[in-house]
Structures are given as structure tokens and as C-alpha cells.
Amino acid sequence: MPLKTRRSALRTLAAANLLALSAVGAPFAHADSFPSKTIKFVVPFGPGSGTDTSARYFAKKLQDLTGQAVVVENKPGANGFMAVKQVLSAPADGYTVFIGSNSTLAVNAALFKQLPYDPVADFSPLTMMMRSPAMLAVAPSAPYQDLKGLLAYAKANPGKVNFGAGSAGYQLMGELLNDVAKVQTVHVPFKGAGETTTAVASGTVDFTFAEVTAVQELAKGGRVKVFAVASDKRVGTSPDVPTFTEAGLPGFEAYTWVGAMVSAKTPAAETAKLAELLTQISRMDETRAFYERIGAIPMTGGPQQMREFQKNEIALWKRIVVQAKVPLQ
């Protein structure tokens, strides 16, 4: 082969090899550069909820780790459907993250006949964030002074006591109380924790279940009275609040939880990178300290653990719906 022809052939082969290597390496290069622009956290509840508190904490930490802006958008109402729709309608590129809770990611699957989304099939889990025991709060002007008084009043006045709930999860806690305590109270829906606790403080509704993070400051300010915390032990930030067992209803426990997910259509590389970053944040010592300061419990499981946890929660709430004979919506 003439020297000139041989050189031309070698150049052609080298160019082809370079193109092939570029094609193979492109996905990895793209993953390495992710994230390269603003990330949005979509929260299905308003400001003041435990979900919102977690979203804002993780947003700040993720921004610190990546150098990219992370914004939090609150989209309350419609049992979380509006927030879910926004996330699943956005480009599935890893830049829109759903900060969901037990309500949107588990309870809705048990409470609704037909959901406009599948909380398992439509989402890829990233990391668990925290769980928080629920507190039962009433207005300062309530005619009863403790949990026993509330339940005695409810038994004597069936259908006349109501409870506010800002999500399906809190609704089922109220229905579970009805079942366990053998009372008949009436559910009043609200858009989120903020609206619900405001309604309780003003006496618009008789009681509510709320996250520790959403209610304890109101209690310290005298705007609501907290009768009990639905956990197996008292909360360090509210040591004077008894457990339900101590207050007269043995064994009653109920928790909310928060976790992050993206659309299941998001590429695997971006999903894995987000999961790695967010799980790293969940395992930081300062994250544990942050949650302990607000009376919550950090959760550190990654994608696989979160998926297993979610499926177990769906099964749990389905059992409770059947046991408490809650009408499906």
C-alpha cells in the first residue's frame, strides 16, 4: 500500500475509533456533569409542615454539595395530586424532585379507589429523610383537659366532635383513633398542616393530629394544647407531653415520614447520582442533630430500603382502612 494511502487509512481508523469511544463515554460524561443547573424540590404541603422542613434542609445541603441552586416549591391541596402531577409532567431529567410523605407515597394508595398516579410504579426512590410521631392537639378553649376527657366527651356526643386533617395520612390517624377508642368523630379536610393547626387554634375544629415539628412551637406559645404523642416514648423536645399509653389509650402509635423520589422515567445515571447525594446528606451527623432538635427521627435508607419501606407502609395502611372500615374515596 502506498505510504500516502496507508496514512490516510490510519487517520480514518483513528477518527472512527475516537467517535466510537466518544459515543460509549457520552452517558458517563453526562452523569459526571450532573447536576449542572437549578434543581427543584416540589412539596405537596405548605410551609410549616415536616415535609417542607425536610425539603428546605436537604435543599440547602444539596446546594452546598453540588454548587447548584436548589429551590423549594410548595404545591399544597388535592391530597397531593397537584404536586404529583407537576413532578410527573416535568421533564424526567433529574432536575425535578418530589419530596413526598406517608400520605402521598403510601396512604393514598390505601384510601382512594382510583389514584391519578401509582406511588410505586411512577416513581424511583432516592432516599428516606425522617419520621415523626404525631401529636394530638386541641384548642386552648376546649372543654376537656386531657385525652381521657376528650374521648369521654366524644363517647357522650357521637358525631359532634370533629377533627381536622391536612392530608390522607392524618385522616387515617383520626379514623384509627375512632376505631381504637370506640368513638365517632367527624373528619374535616384541609390543604395542609398550617391550615389545620390554625383551625384548631381558633376552635374551628375540635382536634387534629400533627407532626411534632408543626405543632410544638404553637403549644409552647399557648395557641394549642397537646394531649399526647403517638409514639412508644416521649419526645425530647416536648418532655411534658405524655405518650398515648400514659394518657390512657394503650399502644396507640402513629408516625409520619418523608422521603425523596423522582419520576420513574428519569435516566438511571441521574437517578443514581441524586440518590447518592441525598443519602449522603441523610447520614451526616449534622442531619441527625438537626432532626433531634426538632423532635423528629432521621432515616438513612437509600433507594432499595426506601422502596421496601414504602411497600410495607402501603400494606399497613390498607390493613388499617379495612380494620377501621374507612370508606374509600
Side-chain angles (χ1 to χ4, degrees):
M1 181 184 291
L3 180 61
K4 185 175 181 180
T5 304
R6 184 181 300 169
R7 287 175 176 171
S8 178
L10 288 172
R11 283 197 297 269
T12 301
L13 179 61
N17 287 338
L18 182 61
L19 182 61
L21 287 171
S22 298
V24 171
F28 297 98
H30 181 61
D32 288 342
S33 66
F34 176 85
S36 59
K37 63 179 182 179
T38 298
I39 296 173
K40 179 185 289 185
F41 282 3
V42 180
V43 179
F45 307 113
S49 66
T51 310
D52 177 73
T53 301
S54 291
R56 294 184 186 280
Y57 175 84
F58 272 74
K60 174 62 169 61
K61 291 300 178 185
L62 183 59
Q63 185 168 303
D64 292 343
L65 286 178
T66 64
Q68 298 296 331
V70 183
V71 299
V72 176
E73 182 173 336
N74 298 94
K75 199 81 172 179
N79 294 291
F81 296 173
M82 294 169 59
V84 169
K85 181 180 179 181
Q86 178 173 336
V87 172
L88 297 182
S89 298
D93 53 10
Y95 288 96
T96 303
V97 178
F98 183 60
I99 308 299
S101 69
N102 54 301
S103 294
T104 48
L105 295 175
V107 174
N108 281 353
L111 193 57
F112 289 86
K113 294 178 182 177
Q114 288 187 325
L115 278 180
Y117 68 99
D118 186 320
V120 175
D122 289 341
F123 289 101
S124 292
L126 300 175
T127 193
M128 296 187 287
M129 294 175 167
M130 69 90 163
R131 72 170 181 159
S132 177
M135 287 181 160
L136 188 148
V138 303
S141 58
Y144 19 79
Q145 300 303 310
D146 53 24
L147 180 65
K148 288 183 178 179
L150 167 62
L151 296 179
Y153 185 88
K155 285 182 179 179
N157 299 275
K160 293 185 179 180
V161 176
N162 55 37
F163 69 92
S167 69
Y170 290 119
Q171 177 188 350
L172 284 195
M173 289 181 195
E175 300 290 1
L176 181 61
L177 181 69
N178 282 340
D179 182 65
V180 173
K182 307 305 178 188
V183 295
Q184 183 182 340
T185 64
V186 180
H187 167 234
V188 179
F190 289 90
K191 287 185 177 180
E195 281 193 9
T196 309
T197 51
T198 297
V200 171
S202 65
T204 303
V205 293
D206 296 305
F207 74 93
T208 189
F209 282 98
E211 294 160 312
V212 174
T213 54
V215 77
Q216 62 186 358
E217 292 304 317
L218 293 175
K220 291 176 182 177
R223 295 186 59 194
V224 299
K225 291 191 295 186
V226 176
F227 282 169
V229 59
S231 62
D232 60 348
K233 59 183 178 181
R234 297 192 182 198
V235 176
T237 53
S238 299
D240 295 333
V241 177
T243 65
F244 268 78
T245 295
E246 293 171 331
L249 193 62
F252 187 94
E253 294 184 23
Y255 296 85
T256 61
W257 53 266
V258 180
M261 293 200 173
V262 288
S263 166
K265 297 177 182 178
T266 305
E270 281 74 6
T271 300
K273 185 67 177 291
L274 274 175
E276 178 187 352
L277 289 167
L278 293 175
T279 302
Q280 178 183 341
I281 295 169
S282 76
R283 294 172 178 168
M284 291 178 176
D285 289 340
E286 57 193 294
T287 300
R288 175 173 293 278
F290 168 77
Y291 279 128
E292 288 176 349
R293 284 196 303 272
I294 62 177
I297 304 164
M299 299 179 73
T300 59
Q304 182 178 348
Q305 293 91 339
M306 185 177 181
R307 178 63 86 205
E308 292 174 359
F309 179 81
Q310 180 193 23
K311 289 181 177 179
N312 288 336
E313 282 285 293
I314 291 173
L316 166 67
W317 287 113
K318 283 185 175 180
R319 287 198 303 271
I320 289 174
V321 165
V322 173
Q323 177 182 324
K325 298 179 181 179
V326 180
L328 297 182
Q329 297 184 19

